[in-house]
Amino acid sequence: MRIFVYLTALLGLSSSLPHDTTYPDTDGRSFVNFNISPPRKFTNQALSKAEACRDPSGFTGYCVASSACRAFNGTQGARCPKRPAGTGTCCLVDRCPVAPPAVPAGGAVITAPIPGSGSAVGTEIQFICQPGLVFEGIPEVMVTATCDVRGTWSPAVIPNCVPAPPTVCVSEPPSAPADVLVSDGGDRFIGALVFYVCTSGTFGDGRAITAARCGEDGLWRPETLPECVTAPPTECSSPPPAAPDGVLQHFDGNLTIGALSLYTCAATGMVFPSGASFLLATCHEDGTWQPDDVPSCAQPVATLSHGY
């Protein structure tokens, strides 16, 4: 971090010279002035616009003071012009002084062995994950670490390898009881849905329709369906019991819970077996009429006296 701040101050130059301008040096080599786009982690605009130099052998560097080159762990090359005035040293960065990033957990390299410190600029190492694993947090199947022109490896750290998420469901959707209708299109990919309809009432949450989904882990949720509860009836499913001969029925056609049907004996003086002259049938909460049968009327039973 100190080196970066130091270089930023030293390399805070104006825009570079034209791309086709060459400058002879005392060794007979020529350096072409151009810009190098720094890694994304370098956000300082002064550094991103620093003048750079390159010789025919492929070495790349920056036109800086000798002290800056030493701070940058570079190799001092030929003299070079600086903007807006003066000259500097073409600081050649041809090696990465540090070792490349380590192989992550569960990972491997395509080419082995991994080079140590001092790798040449442009050296690349391809990292992959072992079968069944993927890089954590990124979609790439291969990560390339490169020794860049700043003498650092980019990226400096390779993500760990983790188990690959499933692409299809690893379990089956929950089974349904006989009173539940299933709408299953047969899809078994992540995010697939199976719908269930309670035909005899509602599920525990009060809805007649629910769904199971195949989650990111390949498991269906919910694992079991909520109970399908039969809805209580709101009316009787049939008319009240019919009146037998000799009995009159008084019913207005109302079948809702609590409705009444009145029965009376047609002949004067006749009564029901209970001794009453009328009888009521009620539509109960279970949707049935009680009583479910109406007896016939008869003469009242004579009361015997103890006297002679």
Side-chain angles (χ1 to χ4, degrees):
M1 182 65 184
R2 292 179 178 176
I3 293 175
F4 173 76
V5 175
Y6 181 53
L7 285 175
T8 299
L10 290 174
L11 300 181
L13 305 175
S14 59
S15 59
S16 63
L17 296 176
H19 291 274
D20 58 353
T21 303
T22 60
Y23 303 92
D25 66 4
T26 57
D27 298 329
R29 297 185 301 177
S30 63
F31 293 85
V32 180
N33 183 274
F34 66 100
N35 281 332
I36 293 179
S37 297
R40 293 180 182 177
K41 64 180 179 179
F42 294 100
T43 58
N44 187 281
Q45 292 298 312
L47 182 60
S48 68
K49 295 181 180 297
E51 290 177 307
C53 49
R54 180 176 61 192
D55 68 6
S57 64
F59 292 145
T60 305
Y62 298 95
C63 190
V64 296
S66 297
S67 58
C69 188
R70 288 192 297 270
F72 197 53
N73 294 323
T75 300
Q76 296 185 43
R79 301 296 294 174
C80 55
K82 294 176 59 177
R83 285 292 189 92
T87 61
T89 297
C90 189
C91 186
L92 305 178
V93 183
D94 60 347
R95 300 284 171 180
C96 280
V98 298
V103 178
V109 292
I110 296 180
T111 57
I114 296 180
S117 59
S119 297
V121 168
T123 300
E124 293 184 344
I125 306 174
Q126 285 80 32
F127 295 84
I128 58 174
C129 288
Q130 297 176 6
L133 304 179
V134 295
F135 287 112
E136 185 176 15
I138 60 174
E140 287 78 6
V141 297
M142 182 177 70
V143 176
T144 300
T146 305
C147 176
D148 61 30
V149 296
R150 285 178 172 77
T152 59
W153 288 94
S154 181
V157 178
I158 307 301
N160 287 329
C161 295
V162 296
T167 57
V168 295
C169 305
V170 297
S171 64
E172 286 298 311
S175 58
D179 59 347
V180 174
L181 180 66
V182 181
S183 177
D184 184 358
D187 295 328
R188 294 297 181 267
F189 53 80
I190 302 299
L193 294 171
V194 174
F195 295 93
Y196 301 86
V197 180
C198 178
T199 59
S200 60
T202 60
F203 293 105
D205 57 5
R207 295 181 297 178
I209 300 177
T210 191
R213 181 181 182 275
C214 180
E216 298 295 333
D217 57 0
L219 299 177
W220 288 88
R221 290 182 178 81
E223 296 180 0
T224 58
L225 292 179
E227 183 181 0
C228 186
V229 180
T230 302
T234 58
E235 60 181 24
C236 282
S237 58
S238 61
D245 293 340
V247 175
L248 300 177
Q249 181 180 14
H250 310 275
F251 177 60
D252 60 4
N254 183 11
L255 295 176
T256 57
I257 302 299
L260 298 174
S261 180
L262 174 64
Y263 301 88
T264 58
C265 294
T268 302
M270 303 289 280
V271 295
F272 289 102
S274 63
S277 59
F278 67 92
L279 183 146
L280 286 174
T282 304
C283 179
H284 278 220
E285 293 181 353
D286 61 359
T288 62
W289 290 91
Q290 297 295 333
D292 58 359
D293 183 63
V294 178
S296 298
C297 292
Q299 290 287 343
V301 177
T303 300
L304 295 177
S305 173
H306 292 288
Y308 293 95

